[in-house]
Amino acid sequence: SVAAVVNVKRCKKLDVPQYVQADSKWGDDVYDHLGWMLVYNKIRHKGCALTASAMVSSYFTKPYNFQTDPSKLNLDLKENSGYTRDPIRGFGNIKWFVVACLSKAMEFDYLNSVDKKGIITDQKIREIIENKIDNNIPVIIKAPGVIAKYHYYVIKGKCSDGWIVHDPLLGPDRKKKFEEIDILGTRIFNPVPYPAPCKRSIWSWLSSPAELIITDPSSNKTGFDAISQTIIRNIPNSTYFEDAIDNDET
């Protein structure tokens, strides 16, 4: 007798809307307040985190017949101080909690939005992502960029051997083996009953290569500890990470 063994790669996929940052509907929209720059100032150039945010926001608001897109979210962020301000460059990174406020259907997950550093290992990040996908929550990840310092994807599913991602640059439903993506961090939103009130946050930032550490009245600290070279997150409902839509030199 002959026995045949078939390995079935089981996959779970979430129904996350698909957006591409270079789409003709918004690809040539000016990102943030970059109008003074002559080149590389459009959503197609800078909008991977923006596009990923629009996908996740639309996923959570779809049951309420409300969805955003990169163009609308870009305008809403500009009108609601949703970008960090940089008077030299004229643009900023996304304030993730503002994306949550605009959706009214999700809140920013400070506990699980982390960067790989110190005690936050590859295994820890994978556990966070797998837990979220199991609970029907897509995850925005930060990975090394090609031109920019970082690139942001949406993980919308998992299989036994890898992730299923929507890539704002290269397109939707791309299968990536676990070892193919160097996941440097997670940016996560959790669903809340619609319409949820906005939970405002204190959002502090510095331009690299500087690091920041904050101490609250109870002497709890959140930030980067230069002595131990680790990230500390002792202030309740706080996090610390690095975002970038450009490289350090330009």
Side-chain angles (χ1 to χ4, degrees), residues 132-153:
K132 291 300 179 179
I133 296 297
D134 287 343
N135 286 279
N136 301 314
I137 296 172
V139 176
I140 297 173
I141 63 164
K142 181 180 80 172
V146 177
I147 299 175
K149 186 173 184 178
Y150 301 126
H151 185 53
Y152 297 81
Y153 307 77

Side-chain angles (χ1 to χ4, degrees), residues 211-225:
E211 301 280 3
L212 181 69
I213 191 164
I214 295 174
T215 305
D216 73 5
S218 300
S219 298
N220 297 310
K221 298 178 185 294
T222 288
F224 183 75
D225 182 67

Side-chain angles (χ1 to χ4, degrees), residues 14-32:
L14 305 180
D15 187 21
V16 179
Q18 306 169 2
Y19 297 138
V20 178
Q21 64 192 81
D23 192 299
S24 60
K25 298 185 186 72
W26 49 71
D28 288 325
D29 290 1
V30 173
Y31 176 86
D32 191 7

Side-chain angles (χ1 to χ4, degrees), residues 35-246:
W36 58 271
M37 291 186 66
L38 296 179
V39 294
Y40 306 125
N41 63 346
K42 307 294 197 302
I43 289 177
R44 68 171 65 249
H45 305 125
K46 308 288 187 186
C48 59
L50 171 71
T51 304
S53 297
M55 287 191 260
V56 172
S57 179
S58 293
Y59 170 78
F60 285 122
T61 60
K62 186 162 48 175
Y64 310 104
N65 297 316
F66 165 73
Q67 290 184 281
T68 189
D69 59 46
S71 179
K72 185 178 188 308
L73 183 57
N74 183 48
L75 291 173
D76 287 343
L77 289 171
K78 287 194 284 187
E79 292 173 359
N80 291 275
S81 300
Y83 290 108
T84 58
R85 292 264 55 84
D86 187 326
I88 303 300
R89 295 182 178 182
F91 65 89
N93 297 306
I94 288 175
K95 297 179 184 177
W96 302 99
F97 79 90
V98 179
V99 176
C101 288
L102 292 169
S103 79
K104 299 183 173 64
M106 62 187 189
E107 63 183 6
F108 189 58
D109 186 343
Y110 290 91
L111 178 63
N112 292 300
S113 296
V114 297
D115 274 357
K116 183 172 69 175
K117 209 168 194 176
I119 63 173
I120 306 298
T121 61
D122 287 319
Q123 182 60 34
K124 176 62 177 175
I125 286 180
R126 178 169 168 178
E127 289 172 0
I128 289 172
I129 298 171
E130 289 185 337
N131 176 264
K132 291 300 179 179
I133 296 297
D134 287 343
N135 286 279
N136 301 314
I137 296 172
V139 176
I140 297 173
I141 63 164
K142 181 180 80 172
V146 177
I147 299 175
K149 186 173 184 178
Y150 301 126
H151 185 53
Y152 297 81
Y153 307 77
V154 177
I155 292 184
K156 58 159 287 184
K158 67 170 184 174
C159 301
S160 59
D161 62 342
W163 307 113
I164 302 170
V165 306
H166 282 346
D167 186 334
L169 183 63
L170 299 178
D173 289 314
R174 304 181 71 84
K175 180 72 179 301
K176 297 281 188 180
K177 291 186 177 181
F178 293 128
E179 63 271 16
E180 283 187 71
I181 307 179
D182 182 13
I183 300 177
L184 302 178
T186 57
R187 306 292 181 263
I188 300 174
F189 299 93
N190 292 326
V192 293
Y194 182 89
C198 179
K199 293 184 178 180
R200 307 299 295 184
S201 301
I202 297 175
W203 198 267
S204 301
W205 68 92
L206 291 173
S207 296
S208 61
E211 301 280 3
L212 181 69
I213 191 164
I214 295 174
T215 305
D216 73 5
S218 300
S219 298
N220 297 310
K221 298 178 185 294
T222 288
F224 183 75
D225 182 67
I227 297 175
S228 63
Q229 292 291 296
T230 59
I231 292 173
I232 299 173
R233 302 192 304 161
N234 294 331
I235 298 175
N237 202 30
S238 69
T239 191
Y240 182 85
F241 47 66
E242 177 186 355
D243 281 324
I245 57 167
D246 222 334

